[in-house]
Amino acid sequence: MKNNYLLGFLLIFSVLVNAQGNKKMTDTLQEVIVKSSRIDLPFKQNSRTIQLITADDLKKSGVSNVADALQQIAGIDIRRRGTSGMQADLYIRGGSFDQTLLLIDGIKVDDAQTGHHTLNLALPIEVIKRIEIIKGPAARVFGQNAFTGAVNIITKDTLENSVSLNLKAGSFGQVSAAVTAGVNLDDSSHIIHFSKNASNGYRYNTDFDNTNFVLKSTFDKKELPIEMLVSLSERNFGANGFYATPAAINQYEKTKASLIGFSTTIKKGNVTWKPKVYWRHNEDEYIYVRSNPSLYRNLHITNKFAAELNGSYSSNLGITGFGIETSKVLITSNNLGANNRFLSTLFLEHRFNLLDNKLDITPGVAVTYFSDFKSYAFPGIDIGYQLLDNFRVYGNVGNTYRVPTYTDMFYKSATTIGNSNLEPEKAFAQELGLKWNLSNFDISVAAFNRNSNHLIDYVKTLSTDLWQAQNIQDVTTKGFETQLLYKFTVNSYNQKLQIGYNFMKDDVKHSIYNFSQYALNSMKHQFVGSYTMQFCSNFNNTISYRYAERTNGGSYSVVDLGASYSLKAFEISLFANNIFNTVYTETNLVPMPKGNLMFGLRYNFR
C-alpha cells in the first residue's frame, strides 16, 4: 500500500511541476535517412509503414531496454517474461516471433534454432542512435524471416571524449551498473560499453544475472571509413513457467549471444557500395529442473557466417538498388542434432520517380537459394504519391516467406516431435496508407491484409499421440493502425504527445486434426499513448499508457512513468513500472510484476 501512495505521489508531482524558462523546439525527424534498405531515402519519402524511436525518445521515456521501448509502438506486440527485458518475444502485426527479423546496423541477427532468441542481442540503450521499425512484408528487402516486418537498431556514430557511469537500484533487489565511454580521434573513433544487471526475482525462480559488452570503432575516417561492431550479451535466469506449462516452476536458462561485423560505404560517382561481413554466435542451455540438470537438459550452439554486398545506382531513370547475400548457418545440439545450411540471396529493385517526382514506383524481387530447400523468388512493389508537400499516400504488395527453424524440424521431447519434411511458410500481403507531416504534427494511417498459408502448427489426431509439426494452417489477417504525434510548447518548454491504435482480426481455416497447439492470440485492440513533458529547464518526464485486448478475450491496461533531473554532470532518474498494480500476463500465463521502481544516478566525466 505504501508503494501505491509513493507511485501516485510521483505521478502527480511530475504533472504539476511548473517553472519559467526558455527552450527552442527542433524538428529533424523528417530528414532522417532510413538505413533499412539499399536505396537510402529520407523518412518522409518512404512508401512503406516505417516508424522511428530516437535516442532522445529512449532517454526521456526512462526505459532501460529495447523490449520495453518497443511496447509503446502500435502494431508491435512484445510478449515479455519478467522484468528488464529478460526474455521477450517480438511480434509484428500478428506474426509470430519466428516471423520477425532483428537487424543491428543492417546486420541480420536471426537465429536458426528459434525466434525466441531474436532479442538476445538487442543493444543497451546507451549506444543506440535510433530504432527503425518496418511493418509489413519485407522479404523483398531483407530476405527470409522478415515475414511480417523487421526492426533495425542503428548504433551511435560517435561520442565526444567522455565517460559516463550509470548506477541503478530498485524493486526485487534489482541492481545495475554501466560504463559507457567515447573516444574521438583524428582518424578513428570508438564507443565502448559494459554493463552488469542482476535481480533476486519478482517471484520464485525469476532471478537473473546479465552481462553486456559493446564496442563500436570507426577506422580511417578521412579516407575509407571502416566500421567494426562487437557485441556480447550473456543472460542467466530462472524461468518459472516460461516455456513448458505454468506448473514447470523450476526451469532455468543460460544464453550467450555475440556478434562481430565489419562494414563500409564506398561512393564513386553515381554508384554506392555497402559491403558487410559478420559472424553471429548463440549458445542456449535449457534446464528443466534447475537443481537437477541431468533430468532434462538441452544445449544448442548456432553460428552464422555471412557476407553482403549491397549497392545503388542513380540515373535519369531513378535509383536502382541491388545486392547479394551469402551465409552459412550451423547448429550443434544434443536435441536437434548437427545440421548446416547454405543460403544465397540476390536482390534487385528500382525506384522510378515520375510526374515531377510526385509519383514513385519501386518494384523489386529477392531470389533465395537454400541448400536444404528449394529456390524461391519473392517479388513486391511499393507505390507512393505526394499529394502535397506534407501529405503522402502509399501502398505496397508483396510475397513473403519463412523457412522452418531447426526447432520446428528436429525438436523432440516426451510430448512433442518435429518434422524434417516441413515446407516454408508463405504469405501474400497488401497495405494502403497515408502520411501527413507538419512541423509539429504527424499522423499516419495504414490498412493491411495478409493471406498466409502453410503456417506451421503442432497437431495430433488422438489425445494419446505426440504433438507433431505440420504445414496445415491458412490464416487471413486484416487490420488497420494509426499513429499521431503532436509537439507543442508550454511556457517555451517542449512537450510531445504520441498516440497509436492497432486493430487486427485473424480468420483461421479449421484444421483437419482433432487437437491443435496453434492458438492465435494477437492483439485485437491495442492502444498506446505517451506524454513527454518538460516544465522546468532540468526536469523531464514521460507518462506512458498501453491497453491490449487479445483475441482470447483477455485485456489489461498498464501505466508507466519515467522521470529525470539533470544538475551539471549529474543526472537522477526514476522509472516506475505498472504504477496501478495491474494483474496481467503477456504470454504463457507468466504473471507480470505489479508496481515496481528503478532509481538511477548517472555521472558524466568530461
PDB file of all heavy atoms in Angstrom, residues 571-599:
ATOM      1  N   GLU A 571      22.890  13.219 -13.242  1.00  0.00           N
ATOM      2  CA  GLU A 571      21.514  13.020 -13.688  1.00  0.00           C
ATOM      3  C   GLU A 571      20.857  11.978 -12.792  1.00  0.00           C
ATOM      4  O   GLU A 571      21.362  10.871 -12.625  1.00  0.00           O
ATOM      5  CB  GLU A 571      21.467  12.547 -15.144  1.00  0.00           C
ATOM      6  CG  GLU A 571      20.054  12.323 -15.658  1.00  0.00           C
ATOM      7  CD  GLU A 571      20.021  11.847 -17.098  1.00  0.00           C
ATOM      8  OE1 GLU A 571      20.482  12.610 -17.981  1.00  0.00           O
ATOM      9  OE2 GLU A 571      19.566  10.706 -17.333  1.00  0.00           O
ATOM     10  N   ILE A 572      19.740  12.360 -12.206  1.00  0.00           N
ATOM     11  CA  ILE A 572      18.976  11.454 -11.349  1.00  0.00           C
ATOM     12  C   ILE A 572      17.746  11.008 -12.122  1.00  0.00           C
ATOM     13  O   ILE A 572      17.050  11.825 -12.733  1.00  0.00           O
ATOM     14  CB  ILE A 572      18.557  12.152 -10.047  1.00  0.00           C
ATOM     15  CG1 ILE A 572      19.786  12.668  -9.303  1.00  0.00           C
ATOM     16  CG2 ILE A 572      17.770  11.211  -9.145  1.00  0.00           C
ATOM     17  CD1 ILE A 572      19.459  13.577  -8.124  1.00  0.00           C
ATOM     18  N   SER A 573      17.454   9.710 -12.108  1.00  0.00           N
ATOM     19  CA  SER A 573      16.329   9.203 -12.893  1.00  0.00           C
ATOM     20  C   SER A 573      15.477   8.242 -12.080  1.00  0.00           C
ATOM     21  O   SER A 573      15.910   7.683 -11.068  1.00  0.00           O
ATOM     22  CB  SER A 573      16.835   8.486 -14.154  1.00  0.00           C
ATOM     23  OG  SER A 573      17.582   7.331 -13.819  1.00  0.00           O
ATOM     24  N   LEU A 574      14.242   8.090 -12.553  1.00  0.00           N
ATOM     25  CA  LEU A 574      13.297   7.159 -11.948  1.00  0.00           C
ATOM     26  C   LEU A 574      12.464   6.540 -13.047  1.00  0.00           C
ATOM     27  O   LEU A 574      12.012   7.237 -13.963  1.00  0.00           O
ATOM     28  CB  LEU A 574      12.371   7.887 -10.959  1.00  0.00           C
ATOM     29  CG  LEU A 574      11.089   7.135 -10.565  1.00  0.00           C
ATOM     30  CD1 LEU A 574      11.434   5.974  -9.640  1.00  0.00           C
ATOM     31  CD2 LEU A 574      10.087   8.073  -9.907  1.00  0.00           C
ATOM     32  N   PHE A 575      12.277   5.239 -12.963  1.00  0.00           N
ATOM     33  CA  PHE A 575      11.321   4.568 -13.839  1.00  0.00           C
ATOM     34  C   PHE A 575      10.388   3.758 -12.962  1.00  0.00           C
ATOM     35  O   PHE A 575      10.825   2.910 -12.184  1.00  0.00           O
ATOM     36  CB  PHE A 575      12.014   3.658 -14.853  1.00  0.00           C
ATOM     37  CG  PHE A 575      11.044   3.008 -15.805  1.00  0.00           C
ATOM     38  CD1 PHE A 575      10.378   3.767 -16.749  1.00  0.00           C
ATOM     39  CD2 PHE A 575      10.798   1.642 -15.746  1.00  0.00           C
ATOM     40  CE1 PHE A 575       9.485   3.183 -17.633  1.00  0.00           C
ATOM     41  CE2 PHE A 575       9.911   1.053 -16.629  1.00  0.00           C
ATOM     42  CZ  PHE A 575       9.247   1.817 -17.576  1.00  0.00           C
ATOM     43  N   ALA A 576       9.097   4.075 -13.051  1.00  0.00           N
ATOM     44  CA  ALA A 576       8.072   3.370 -12.276  1.00  0.00           C
ATOM     45  C   ALA A 576       7.218   2.571 -13.249  1.00  0.00           C
ATOM     46  O   ALA A 576       6.573   3.132 -14.129  1.00  0.00           O
ATOM     47  CB  ALA A 576       7.216   4.369 -11.503  1.00  0.00           C
ATOM     48  N   ASN A 577       7.228   1.276 -13.100  1.00  0.00           N
ATOM     49  CA  ASN A 577       6.519   0.368 -13.993  1.00  0.00           C
ATOM     50  C   ASN A 577       5.225  -0.115 -13.343  1.00  0.00           C
ATOM     51  O   ASN A 577       5.191  -0.445 -12.164  1.00  0.00           O
ATOM     52  CB  ASN A 577       7.428  -0.820 -14.329  1.00  0.00           C
ATOM     53  CG  ASN A 577       6.683  -1.957 -15.018  1.00  0.00           C
ATOM     54  OD1 ASN A 577       6.603  -3.054 -14.496  1.00  0.00           O
ATOM     55  ND2 ASN A 577       6.153  -1.695 -16.201  1.00  0.00           N
ATOM     56  N   ASN A 578       4.149  -0.153 -14.154  1.00  0.00           N
ATOM     57  CA  ASN A 578       2.860  -0.678 -13.710  1.00  0.00           C
ATOM     58  C   ASN A 578       2.422  -0.020 -12.406  1.00  0.00           C
ATOM     59  O   ASN A 578       2.175  -0.678 -11.389  1.00  0.00           O
ATOM     60  CB  ASN A 578       2.946  -2.199 -13.545  1.00  0.00           C
ATOM     61  CG  ASN A 578       1.580  -2.849 -13.366  1.00  0.00           C
ATOM     62  OD1 ASN A 578       0.540  -2.211 -13.554  1.00  0.00           O
ATOM     63  ND2 ASN A 578       1.580  -4.114 -13.002  1.00  0.00           N
ATOM     64  N   ILE A 579       2.293   1.298 -12.421  1.00  0.00           N
ATOM     65  CA  ILE A 579       2.095   2.051 -11.183  1.00  0.00           C
ATOM     66  C   ILE A 579       0.734   1.818 -10.542  1.00  0.00           C
ATOM     67  O   ILE A 579       0.545   2.138  -9.367  1.00  0.00           O
ATOM     68  CB  ILE A 579       2.318   3.558 -11.421  1.00  0.00           C
ATOM     69  CG1 ILE A 579       1.298   4.117 -12.419  1.00  0.00           C
ATOM     70  CG2 ILE A 579       3.732   3.823 -11.894  1.00  0.00           C
ATOM     71  CD1 ILE A 579       1.415   5.616 -12.620  1.00  0.00           C
ATOM     72  N   PHE A 580      -0.217   1.251 -11.282  1.00  0.00           N
ATOM     73  CA  PHE A 580      -1.527   0.964 -10.692  1.00  0.00           C
ATOM     74  C   PHE A 580      -1.726  -0.519 -10.402  1.00  0.00           C
ATOM     75  O   PHE A 580      -2.856  -0.985 -10.227  1.00  0.00           O
ATOM     76  CB  PHE A 580      -2.635   1.490 -11.600  1.00  0.00           C
ATOM     77  CG  PHE A 580      -2.644   2.992 -11.725  1.00  0.00           C
ATOM     78  CD1 PHE A 580      -2.417   3.608 -12.950  1.00  0.00           C
ATOM     79  CD2 PHE A 580      -2.837   3.795 -10.609  1.00  0.00           C
ATOM     80  CE1 PHE A 580      -2.405   4.994 -13.062  1.00  0.00           C
ATOM     81  CE2 PHE A 580      -2.827   5.173 -10.708  1.00  0.00           C
ATOM     82  CZ  PHE A 580      -2.608   5.775 -11.943  1.00  0.00           C
ATOM     83  N   ASN A 581      -0.611  -1.274 -10.370  1.00  0.00           N
ATOM     84  CA  ASN A 581      -0.639  -2.677  -9.935  1.00  0.00           C
ATOM     85  C   ASN A 581      -1.586  -3.554 -10.755  1.00  0.00           C
ATOM     86  O   ASN A 581      -2.306  -4.386 -10.203  1.00  0.00           O
ATOM     87  CB  ASN A 581      -0.985  -2.770  -8.455  1.00  0.00           C
ATOM     88  CG  ASN A 581       0.116  -2.266  -7.555  1.00  0.00           C
ATOM     89  OD1 ASN A 581       1.293  -2.383  -7.891  1.00  0.00           O
ATOM     90  ND2 ASN A 581      -0.247  -1.667  -6.438  1.00  0.00           N
ATOM     91  N   THR A 582      -1.603  -3.396 -12.051  1.00  0.00           N
ATOM     92  CA  THR A 582      -2.432  -4.242 -12.908  1.00  0.00           C
ATOM     93  C   THR A 582      -1.949  -5.689 -12.838  1.00  0.00           C
ATOM     94  O   THR A 582      -0.750  -5.965 -12.893  1.00  0.00           O
ATOM     95  CB  THR A 582      -2.357  -3.759 -14.369  1.00  0.00           C
ATOM     96  OG1 THR A 582      -2.869  -2.439 -14.436  1.00  0.00           O
ATOM     97  CG2 THR A 582      -3.151  -4.664 -15.300  1.00  0.00           C
ATOM     98  N   VAL A 583      -2.893  -6.605 -12.726  1.00  0.00           N
ATOM     99  CA  VAL A 583      -2.594  -8.033 -12.760  1.00  0.00           C
ATOM    100  C   VAL A 583      -2.794  -8.504 -14.198  1.00  0.00           C
ATOM    101  O   VAL A 583      -3.895  -8.441 -14.737  1.00  0.00           O
ATOM    102  CB  VAL A 583      -3.501  -8.826 -11.802  1.00  0.00           C
ATOM    103  CG1 VAL A 583      -3.214 -10.324 -11.913  1.00  0.00           C
ATOM    104  CG2 VAL A 583      -3.304  -8.341 -10.363  1.00  0.00           C
ATOM    105  N   TYR A 584      -1.729  -8.986 -14.837  1.00  0.00           N
ATOM    106  CA  TYR A 584      -1.846  -9.369 -16.236  1.00  0.00           C
ATOM    107  C   TYR A 584      -0.709 -10.298 -16.636  1.00  0.00           C
ATOM    108  O   TYR A 584       0.287 -10.436 -15.935  1.00  0.00           O
ATOM    109  CB  TYR A 584      -1.834  -8.133 -17.144  1.00  0.00           C
ATOM    110  CG  TYR A 584      -0.504  -7.423 -17.260  1.00  0.00           C
ATOM    111  CD1 TYR A 584       0.247  -7.494 -18.436  1.00  0.00           C
ATOM    112  CD2 TYR A 584       0.011  -6.667 -16.200  1.00  0.00           C
ATOM    113  CE1 TYR A 584       1.457  -6.841 -18.542  1.00  0.00           C
ATOM    114  CE2 TYR A 584       1.218  -6.006 -16.309  1.00  0.00           C
ATOM    115  CZ  TYR A 584       1.943  -6.101 -17.488  1.00  0.00           C
ATOM    116  OH  TYR A 584       3.152  -5.447 -17.594  1.00  0.00           O
ATOM    117  N   THR A 585      -0.884 -10.960 -17.777  1.00  0.00           N
ATOM    118  CA  THR A 585       0.153 -11.776 -18.389  1.00  0.00           C
ATOM    119  C   THR A 585       0.276 -11.369 -19.853  1.00  0.00           C
ATOM    120  O   THR A 585      -0.687 -10.899 -20.462  1.00  0.00           O
ATOM    121  CB  THR A 585      -0.168 -13.281 -18.308  1.00  0.00           C
ATOM    122  OG1 THR A 585      -1.335 -13.551 -19.101  1.00  0.00           O
ATOM    123  CG2 THR A 585      -0.423 -13.714 -16.878  1.00  0.00           C
ATOM    124  N   GLU A 586       1.459 -11.555 -20.412  1.00  0.00           N
ATOM    125  CA  GLU A 586       1.682 -11.262 -21.824  1.00  0.00           C
ATOM    126  C   GLU A 586       1.858 -12.525 -22.658  1.00  0.00           C
ATOM    127  O   GLU A 586       1.596 -12.517 -23.858  1.00  0.00           O
ATOM    128  CB  GLU A 586       2.893 -10.338 -21.983  1.00  0.00           C
ATOM    129  CG  GLU A 586       2.652  -8.962 -21.399  1.00  0.00           C
ATOM    130  CD  GLU A 586       3.841  -8.032 -21.516  1.00  0.00           C
ATOM    131  OE1 GLU A 586       4.939  -8.484 -21.900  1.00  0.00           O
ATOM    132  OE2 GLU A 586       3.668  -6.824 -21.219  1.00  0.00           O
ATOM    133  N   THR A 587       2.322 -13.608 -22.030  1.00  0.00           N
ATOM    134  CA  THR A 587       2.485 -14.863 -22.750  1.00  0.00           C
ATOM    135  C   THR A 587       2.605 -16.020 -21.772  1.00  0.00           C
ATOM    136  O   THR A 587       3.103 -15.869 -20.653  1.00  0.00           O
ATOM    137  CB  THR A 587       3.732 -14.820 -23.652  1.00  0.00           C
ATOM    138  OG1 THR A 587       3.787 -16.001 -24.462  1.00  0.00           O
ATOM    139  CG2 THR A 587       5.002 -14.722 -22.854  1.00  0.00           C
ATOM    140  N   ASN A 588       2.112 -17.171 -22.187  1.00  0.00           N
ATOM    141  CA  ASN A 588       2.293 -18.440 -21.473  1.00  0.00           C
ATOM    142  C   ASN A 588       1.839 -18.398 -20.011  1.00  0.00           C
ATOM    143  O   ASN A 588       2.355 -19.126 -19.173  1.00  0.00           O
ATOM    144  CB  ASN A 588       3.761 -18.886 -21.525  1.00  0.00           C
ATOM    145  CG  ASN A 588       3.905 -20.398 -21.425  1.00  0.00           C
ATOM    146  OD1 ASN A 588       3.138 -21.138 -22.031  1.00  0.00           O
ATOM    147  ND2 ASN A 588       4.884 -20.852 -20.663  1.00  0.00           N
ATOM    148  N   LEU A 589       0.881 -17.518 -19.723  1.00  0.00           N
ATOM    149  CA  LEU A 589       0.330 -17.389 -18.362  1.00  0.00           C
ATOM    150  C   LEU A 589       1.397 -17.017 -17.333  1.00  0.00           C
ATOM    151  O   LEU A 589       1.249 -17.296 -16.144  1.00  0.00           O
ATOM    152  CB  LEU A 589      -0.383 -18.681 -17.937  1.00  0.00           C
ATOM    153  CG  LEU A 589      -1.571 -19.099 -18.811  1.00  0.00           C
ATOM    154  CD1 LEU A 589      -2.178 -20.402 -18.309  1.00  0.00           C
ATOM    155  CD2 LEU A 589      -2.627 -18.005 -18.866  1.00  0.00           C
ATOM    156  N   VAL A 590       2.474 -16.373 -17.772  1.00  0.00           N
ATOM    157  CA  VAL A 590       3.508 -15.900 -16.849  1.00  0.00           C
ATOM    158  C   VAL A 590       3.058 -14.559 -16.285  1.00  0.00           C
ATOM    159  O   VAL A 590       2.960 -13.575 -17.018  1.00  0.00           O
ATOM    160  CB  VAL A 590       4.859 -15.742 -17.563  1.00  0.00           C
ATOM    161  CG1 VAL A 590       5.899 -15.159 -16.609  1.00  0.00           C
ATOM    162  CG2 VAL A 590       5.325 -17.075 -18.125  1.00  0.00           C
ATOM    163  N   PRO A 591       2.772 -14.469 -14.968  1.00  0.00           N
ATOM    164  CA  PRO A 591       2.299 -13.199 -14.396  1.00  0.00           C
ATOM    165  C   PRO A 591       3.399 -12.144 -14.429  1.00  0.00           C
ATOM    166  O   PRO A 591       4.542 -12.398 -14.054  1.00  0.00           O
ATOM    167  CB  PRO A 591       1.922 -13.574 -12.965  1.00  0.00           C
ATOM    168  CG  PRO A 591       2.733 -14.788 -12.653  1.00  0.00           C
ATOM    169  CD  PRO A 591       2.876 -15.537 -13.945  1.00  0.00           C
ATOM    170  N   MET A 592       3.034 -10.950 -14.897  1.00  0.00           N
ATOM    171  CA  MET A 592       3.982  -9.841 -14.897  1.00  0.00           C
ATOM    172  C   MET A 592       3.993  -9.179 -13.519  1.00  0.00           C
ATOM    173  O   MET A 592       3.012  -9.264 -12.782  1.00  0.00           O
ATOM    174  CB  MET A 592       3.602  -8.839 -15.978  1.00  0.00           C
ATOM    175  CG  MET A 592       3.734  -9.390 -17.386  1.00  0.00           C
ATOM    176  SD  MET A 592       5.443  -9.856 -17.793  1.00  0.00           S
ATOM    177  CE  MET A 592       6.232  -8.252 -17.824  1.00  0.00           C
ATOM    178  N   PRO A 593       5.086  -8.514 -13.156  1.00  0.00           N
ATOM    179  CA  PRO A 593       5.169  -7.925 -11.815  1.00  0.00           C
ATOM    180  C   PRO A 593       4.222  -6.750 -11.638  1.00  0.00           C
ATOM    181  O   PRO A 593       3.899  -6.038 -12.582  1.00  0.00           O
ATOM    182  CB  PRO A 593       6.630  -7.466 -11.731  1.00  0.00           C
ATOM    183  CG  PRO A 593       7.073  -7.310 -13.139  1.00  0.00           C
ATOM    184  CD  PRO A 593       6.332  -8.337 -13.925  1.00  0.00           C
ATOM    185  N   LYS A 594       3.786  -6.570 -10.401  1.00  0.00           N
ATOM    186  CA  LYS A 594       2.999  -5.395 -10.053  1.00  0.00           C
ATOM    187  C   LYS A 594       3.932  -4.189  -9.944  1.00  0.00           C
ATOM    188  O   LYS A 594       5.073  -4.237 -10.355  1.00  0.00           O
ATOM    189  CB  LYS A 594       2.231  -5.646  -8.758  1.00  0.00           C
ATOM    190  CG  LYS A 594       1.168  -6.731  -8.876  1.00  0.00           C
ATOM    191  CD  LYS A 594       0.376  -6.887  -7.587  1.00  0.00           C
ATOM    192  CE  LYS A 594      -0.703  -7.957  -7.728  1.00  0.00           C
ATOM    193  NZ  LYS A 594      -1.499  -8.109  -6.479  1.00  0.00           N
ATOM    194  N   GLY A 595       3.408  -3.091  -9.392  1.00  0.00           N
ATOM    195  CA  GLY A 595       4.168  -1.847  -9.359  1.00  0.00           C
ATOM    196  C   GLY A 595       5.581  -2.015  -8.833  1.00  0.00           C
ATOM    197  O   GLY A 595       5.794  -2.623  -7.788  1.00  0.00           O
ATOM    198  N   ASN A 596       6.553  -1.489  -9.565  1.00  0.00           N
ATOM    199  CA  ASN A 596       7.943  -1.585  -9.137  1.00  0.00           C
ATOM    200  C   ASN A 596       8.711  -0.362  -9.613  1.00  0.00           C
ATOM    201  O   ASN A 596       8.333   0.304 -10.580  1.00  0.00           O
ATOM    202  CB  ASN A 596       8.585  -2.873  -9.657  1.00  0.00           C
ATOM    203  CG  ASN A 596       8.524  -3.000 -11.169  1.00  0.00           C
ATOM    204  OD1 ASN A 596       9.465  -2.659 -11.866  1.00  0.00           O
ATOM    205  ND2 ASN A 596       7.400  -3.496 -11.699  1.00  0.00           N
ATOM    206  N   LEU A 597       9.795  -0.061  -8.925  1.00  0.00           N
ATOM    207  CA  LEU A 597      10.575   1.156  -9.150  1.00  0.00           C
ATOM    208  C   LEU A 597      12.024   0.847  -9.482  1.00  0.00           C
ATOM    209  O   LEU A 597      12.568  -0.168  -9.045  1.00  0.00           O
ATOM    210  CB  LEU A 597      10.548   2.044  -7.899  1.00  0.00           C
ATOM    211  CG  LEU A 597       9.188   2.529  -7.391  1.00  0.00           C
ATOM    212  CD1 LEU A 597       9.359   3.194  -6.039  1.00  0.00           C
ATOM    213  CD2 LEU A 597       8.567   3.481  -8.386  1.00  0.00           C
ATOM    214  N   MET A 598      12.629   1.751 -10.232  1.00  0.00           N
ATOM    215  CA  MET A 598      14.059   1.671 -10.516  1.00  0.00           C
ATOM    216  C   MET A 598      14.620   3.082 -10.440  1.00  0.00           C
ATOM    217  O   MET A 598      14.215   3.964 -11.208  1.00  0.00           O
ATOM    218  CB  MET A 598      14.291   1.074 -11.904  1.00  0.00           C
ATOM    219  CG  MET A 598      15.712   0.618 -12.138  1.00  0.00           C
ATOM    220  SD  MET A 598      16.107  -0.909 -11.234  1.00  0.00           S
ATOM    221  CE  MET A 598      17.651  -1.366 -12.038  1.00  0.00           C
ATOM    222  N   PHE A 599      15.516   3.321  -9.495  1.00  0.00           N
ATOM    223  CA  PHE A 599      16.159   4.620  -9.335  1.00  0.00           C
ATOM    224  C   PHE A 599      17.545   4.574  -9.981  1.00  0.00           C
ATOM    225  O   PHE A 599      18.241   3.549  -9.916  1.00  0.00           O
ATOM    226  CB  PHE A 599      16.303   4.983  -7.854  1.00  0.00           C
ATOM    227  CG  PHE A 599      15.000   5.197  -7.151  1.00  0.00           C
ATOM    228  CD1 PHE A 599      14.387   4.153  -6.474  1.00  0.00           C
ATOM    229  CD2 PHE A 599      14.388   6.445  -7.166  1.00  0.00           C
ATOM    230  CE1 PHE A 599      13.177   4.346  -5.824  1.00  0.00           C
ATOM    231  CE2 PHE A 599      13.186   6.643  -6.510  1.00  0.00           C
ATOM    232  CZ  PHE A 599      12.577   5.591  -5.841  1.00  0.00           C
TER     233      PHE A 599
END
